[in-house]
Amino acid sequence: MTRKETKVINIGERKIGGGNPVAIQSMTNTKTEDVESTVAQILALEKAGCEIIRCAVPNMEAAQALQEIKKQIHIPLVADIHFDYRLAIAAIENGADKIRINPGNIGSEDRVRAVVEKAKEYEIPIRVGVNSGSLEKNLLEKYGGVTAEGIVESALDKVHMIENMGYDNLVVSIKSSDVMMCVKAHELIAKKCPYQLHVGITESGTLYSGNIKSAVGLGIILYQGIGDTIRVSLTEAPEHEIPVAELLVRHFAERPGTFPVLHPERYSPTEYRRRTNIQVPVVHSEPLDGFRVIEAVSGNPTAELRAAILNLDTPEPVVVKRRYEETSPEALAVKAAADLGVLLLDGLADGIWIDAPGFAEDQVREIELMILQAARVRFSHTEYIACPSCGRTLYDIEKTLADIKSRTSHLSNLKIGVMGCIVNGPGEMADADYGYVGAAPGRITLYKGRTVVARNIPQQEALDRLVELIKADGEWVEP
């Protein structure tokens, strides 16, 4: 794998960019002002392998707590700020090694300048973060909704604003819960931006499905040498994010062998084009009559399979196959998603075959179907767009998501957003069929699409009301 060349910057004592190893990040979900709990979680994350940690700073108490937290931890600390520029300044003054802001919601240009001047004074980097949920109205109108091009333009507008203030100690982060959109956005911005890129698939969901979704998207991003820091965002205890991030970084550190492509014009990394007119991609246990099965045998399966497909003289549909000797279902799912999901995202493959002799057929089929769904080519499960939670979360999102799944996971072809707060929630789940968003402590707002249908209702009523809404729309079937 050839890494994209980016500038080198320091986050605390950690160097990123310029070919340095990809650094693994996570984010606390404690109240940052609760120093004892926050430090305990960071120390657990350090033990798990986390190399950079981010904390939400929603109030001045949280900003002031950073000073004491810094004294007790051993990895760089990033402060995550929305809306109030004074919190960004206070976080820098209290020892943050980097700040994460979205200049679009900090306020006027003068307020952004005040933050930039403080970052200059302390010589710390600014991470310019843009999520699909925070896209500006003018860009939504320009591109007809949330698009990869809009996300990139938004991020570059903010980068140029800060550059014009005389500062270039920057990291850029662009995220979306839509895997295909996220991949395309990273491919586009990597060509236009010399700065370090923090990569991740936001609102991935729970441990198993979220790992697969992240592996499909991050697999193609890392495979192209894009990314200087990485986070796998899961609606789980943050320590669970680290193993899959480590696995992905290791998996793409060495990709041996080159495979000549006779027809490179048939493939464009930033353009999705289906090779065939197959409407429903298949898994290996389904009839494969009329499909050509191509099996990877090298240590670089993605490149091997892509070249083999592009070199075909006939447009016959292709099932991509690889054998895995994994003993852990999580490792099997992540590696297969990273190796084979890429070819589904590219529009090159029409089916997937995971040869895993250590696992039952039903288990392998389930993983294959989840990879197809993560690549947005076949839907067989209810999909949950769920935030990983942070210090701003207004309820126990892990338990709530589990409760919602227990009532709705039997439904197919539905997308349900479960968001901890309103910072990015409504925007991130804009393409969901239904949404469940924290509005205040103990209060929930329900959405149908982008429309609010019940505002600030008691949380103890919210799940029943969500089920009633699905039933009223005729989308419900009995389990």
Side-chain angles (χ1 to χ4, degrees), residues 101-277:
I101 62 171
N102 179 345
N105 70 26
I106 284 291
S108 67
E109 189 167 320
D110 287 342
R111 292 180 174 182
V112 176
R113 186 182 300 276
V115 175
V116 171
E117 291 302 321
K118 185 61 67 171
K120 282 185 190 178
E121 178 185 344
Y122 282 75
E123 298 182 338
I124 70 162
I126 296 173
R127 172 175 149 191
V128 178
V130 175
N131 286 357
S132 57
S134 59
L135 212 56
E136 295 88 341
K137 184 177 180 181
N138 67 305
L139 293 175
L140 292 172
E141 292 173 351
K142 177 178 178 178
Y143 291 103
V146 179
T147 65
E149 292 82 0
I151 295 170
V152 170
E153 183 171 335
S154 177
L156 292 179
D157 284 347
K158 314 242 177 345
V159 166
H160 297 327
M161 177 196 298
I162 295 174
E163 286 176 331
N164 290 337
M165 295 174 182
Y167 204 54
D168 64 356
N169 194 0
L170 302 176
V171 177
V172 179
S173 170
I174 52 173
K175 292 186 179 182
S176 172
S177 59
D178 183 305
V179 172
M180 196 174 293
M181 185 185 300
C182 195
V183 168
K184 184 175 182 181
H186 281 90
E187 291 169 339
L188 291 171
I189 203 166
K191 296 178 179 179
K192 300 179 179 182
C193 180
Y195 299 112
Q196 301 80 8
L197 289 176
H198 172 70
V199 299
I201 307 296
T202 193
E203 276 81 43
S204 293
T206 52
L207 187 61
Y208 206 52
S209 61
N211 281 347
I212 290 174
K213 189 173 181 180
S214 291
V216 169
L218 293 175
I220 191 169
I221 291 169
L222 292 171
Y223 175 77
Q224 295 178 81
I226 299 170
D228 299 284
T229 62
I230 182 176
R231 181 189 178 195
V232 173
S233 299
L234 300 174
T235 311
E236 300 278 345
E239 301 94 295
H240 294 161
E241 298 177 352
I242 307 305
V244 67
E246 289 183 325
L247 192 158
L248 284 169
V249 170
R250 288 197 309 269
H251 195 54
F252 286 96
E254 295 293 336
R255 298 262 101 176
T258 57
F259 300 87
V261 175
L262 303 179
H263 301 286
E265 72 280 359
R266 295 176 179 175
Y267 169 69
S268 170
T270 58
E271 182 181 352
Y272 176 73
R273 293 182 298 193
R274 290 294 303 274
R275 276 185 67 253
T276 70
N277 59 4

Side-chain angles (χ1 to χ4, degrees), residues 308-340:
I309 295 170
L310 292 172
N311 292 342
L312 291 175
D313 293 326
T314 57
E316 60 193 310
V318 168
V319 171
V320 289
K321 179 180 180 181
R322 179 163 175 76
R323 184 180 178 89
Y324 295 91
E325 304 293 347
E326 306 301 323
T327 57
S328 156
E330 292 80 14
L332 172 66
V334 168
K335 288 186 176 182
D339 291 337
L340 306 179

